[in-house]
Amino acid sequence: MNSAYLYNIVDEINDELKQVNPLVLAALCVSSTYLACQLWNMHRDDIGIRRRVKNYVFNFIKSIPMVRKQIDTQLKEVKDELVKSLVYKDGPNEFITKLPEQGINPDELINLARVYDRMEGPRYLEGRVSGAVFSDESNTDEMTVYQEVFRRFAWSNPLWPKLFPGVRKMESEVIRMCCNLMNGDEESCGTMSTGGTMSIMLACLAHRNRALKRGVQFPEMVIPSTCHAAFTKAAEVFRIKAVKVPVNPQTYKVDLKKMRSAISSRTCMLVGSAPNFPYGTVDDIAAIGEIGVKYDIPVHVDACLGGFLLSFLETDYQWDFRVPGVASISADTHKYGLTPKGSSVVLYKNASYLHNQYFCDPDWQGGIYASSTLEGSRAGVNIALCWASLLFQGQDNYRRYAEDIVATTKKIREGYGICIL
Ligand SMILES: *Cc1c(COP(=O)(O)O)cnc(C)c1O
């Protein structure tokens, strides 16, 4: 195509446009550019155009009176059923709705608490429930330690580290023990949180902030379809686009080729589970780490379930800080760490990742306000209980439990004694 031809076309367009009012032309130009930018941003943000259109269509259909009525009746049925199935065990005791005029005396109150304790559902202490509670609470020495720790630390608040230096030290020690357990070097670091979901959310926040600082407007995370729902929760809360990658249908590990092709210039983190909750399979973390190194994307390993199992087993799995590219790990002390509920750790390869999870408001009217996690005040007692648990169990107990769990898994796989509630 020669340039004379192009000039010809331009001249023709100019001739056409001469007939249009310049003001209209300018307005059309501005509005179409604006529209194009809006659509482009919508296409790139965490919701995307497809989901917006889908939501719009569904909401429209739902707003049709006939459909609305049908949905309402079905919803009511489901709701009634749900309420019945949850509340039927409330027992004959009255439902307390008001603060008592005067406080209840201790004996009466303890008796009342016992009534509520007896309301607990299926017998989790008999070892017939999986995934909810990880300790059988049978060791009386252990329980005595917790009672004493609770008594001493129930009101402590690590938001005030100078007031509670003991709790501050306990948290540091828990983090150091976990970093060492998961083979971090001396630069590895982290914080405690109140559970796996919180640890995962903190890591997502940190990696999102890292991307924002690098000028990525709409960060994305690439996650296996089998990873925990905490990641899509984090995506929703922190407005990260979650790009799900299917697993290999034979191995149930994330499909690495598809993971690689899901990466874009906006990817702020890659995720692998060790293992995942739905299937118990461990993704190929070494390979994910390699991809992370190649594209300079932090890799997060969700070891909420496996952190305190894999660390104590002789396995070929490579899943911890020994894998180059692994930038963060979530591990639940309140799962196979066997501590009372309310504690977990999120660990980072070094402080440059961790600092992206910190918050600081230097202009707050109450003074400079800084916090290391999403909470403000935190329950020091959760930290103290976790610290006590780790020291109480020691490596030998964890190793023994891990071996027992693997043996039980094998038994179940071979098909005996299964009882599914
Ligand atoms: C349990 C679990 C989580 C979430 O932990 P919570 O303590 O329930 O918030 C995340 N990932 C995996 C693999 C888990 O098993």
Side-chain angles (χ1 to χ4, degrees), residues 161-172:
K162 285 185 187 163
L163 268 183
F164 300 102
V167 172
R168 192 200 61 78
K169 183 157 183 259
M170 283 167 159
E171 179 169 11
S172 309

Side-chain angles (χ1 to χ4, degrees), residues 77-87:
E77 271 170 34
V78 173
K79 201 171 146 193
D80 290 348
E81 200 51 45
L82 201 65
V83 170
K84 224 167 69 191
S85 72
L86 286 176
V87 186

Side-chain angles (χ1 to χ4, degrees), residues 9-298:
I9 295 182
V10 172
D11 282 344
E12 265 175 44
I13 294 175
N14 272 339
D15 283 343
E16 286 291 322
L17 291 180
K18 265 182 203 146
Q19 297 159 31
V20 186
N21 183 322
L23 212 59
V24 172
L25 196 62
L28 275 176
C29 205
V30 169
S31 47
S32 59
T33 308
Y34 176 76
L35 193 71
C37 287
Q38 286 292 70
L39 282 174
W40 180 238
N41 280 348
M42 260 189 220
H43 163 64
R44 293 204 308 175
D45 76 5
D46 56 316
I47 302 171
I49 290 177
R50 230 169 68 194
R51 219 172 96 198
R52 277 191 172 83
V53 171
K54 224 158 83 181
N55 285 349
Y56 180 81
V57 171
F58 270 109
N59 284 337
F60 176 76
I61 295 173
K62 280 196 296 194
S63 70
I64 300 169
M66 225 170 65
V67 182
R68 179 78 264 154
K69 217 171 111 189
Q70 189 134 11
I71 293 176
D72 282 347
T73 1
Q74 285 194 7
L75 265 185
K76 193 177 171 310
E77 271 170 34
V78 173
K79 201 171 146 193
D80 290 348
E81 200 51 45
L82 201 65
V83 170
K84 224 167 69 191
S85 72
L86 286 176
V87 186
Y88 77 106
K89 279 187 181 151
D90 261 9
N93 267 60
E94 69 166 318
F95 190 90
I96 303 172
T97 57
K98 242 177 92 180
L99 271 178
E101 209 60 57
Q102 263 130 31
I104 303 176
N105 76 51
D107 288 342
E108 205 181 315
L109 191 51
I110 288 170
N111 278 335
L112 189 59
R114 286 203 180 111
V115 174
Y116 284 72
D117 179 41
R118 282 196 295 272
M119 280 167 51
E120 306 263 341
R123 302 148 298 170
Y124 74 88
L125 289 180
E126 290 170 23
R128 291 178 189 276
V129 178
S130 164
V133 178
F134 294 76
S135 162
D136 63 5
E137 301 172 32
S138 65
N139 188 325
T140 44
D141 291 340
E142 185 184 356
M143 296 305 127
T144 311
V145 172
Y146 296 154
Q147 280 167 22
E148 185 61 21
V149 168
F150 181 85
R151 203 169 66 75
R152 294 188 179 273
F153 290 94
W155 277 266
S156 64
N157 179 1
L159 181 64
W160 303 87
K162 285 185 187 163
L163 268 183
F164 300 102
V167 172
R168 192 200 61 78
K169 183 157 183 259
M170 283 167 159
E171 179 169 11
S172 309
E173 289 176 353
V174 167
I175 294 300
R176 189 49 40 209
M177 283 189 273
C178 292
C179 279
N180 284 335
L181 188 61
M182 289 161 210
N183 294 295
D185 59 20
E186 67 275 15
E187 291 202 2
S188 58
C189 52
T191 61
M192 289 189 65
S193 81
T194 51
T197 301
M198 280 310 263
S199 291
I200 288 168
M201 290 184 75
L202 286 167
C204 293
L205 173 68
H207 296 317
R208 184 206 70 170
N209 287 347
R210 175 179 178 272
L212 291 181
K213 277 186 197 161
R214 293 175 165 220
V216 176
Q217 250 183 312
F218 301 108
E220 301 176 357
M221 57 161 104
V222 175
I223 56 176
S225 57
T226 46
C227 77
H228 197 272
F231 288 96
T232 38
K233 183 184 267 186
E236 191 174 307
V237 174
F238 301 131
R239 300 211 61 178
I240 306 165
K241 187 177 200 164
V243 182
K244 274 193 192 166
V245 180
V247 290
N248 176 312
Q250 252 88 49
T251 62
Y252 279 82
K253 292 168 188 270
V254 67
D255 186 320
L256 294 163
K257 238 163 95 188
K258 290 186 177 146
M259 178 165 253
R260 193 169 298 129
S261 59
I263 291 173
S264 78
S265 57
R266 301 184 288 277
T267 306
C268 70
M269 66 192 289
L270 304 175
V271 173
S273 311
N276 60 55
F277 192 95
Y279 299 100
T281 46
V282 180
D283 290 316
D284 189 346
I285 306 294
I288 300 174
E290 230 171 82
I291 301 173
V293 170
K294 183 170 173 203
Y295 295 99
D296 187 24
I297 303 168

Side-chain angles (χ1 to χ4, degrees), residues 1-12:
M1 210 191 306
N2 61 38
S3 49
Y5 179 71
L6 266 182
Y7 280 125
N8 244 339
I9 295 182
V10 172
D11 282 344
E12 265 175 44

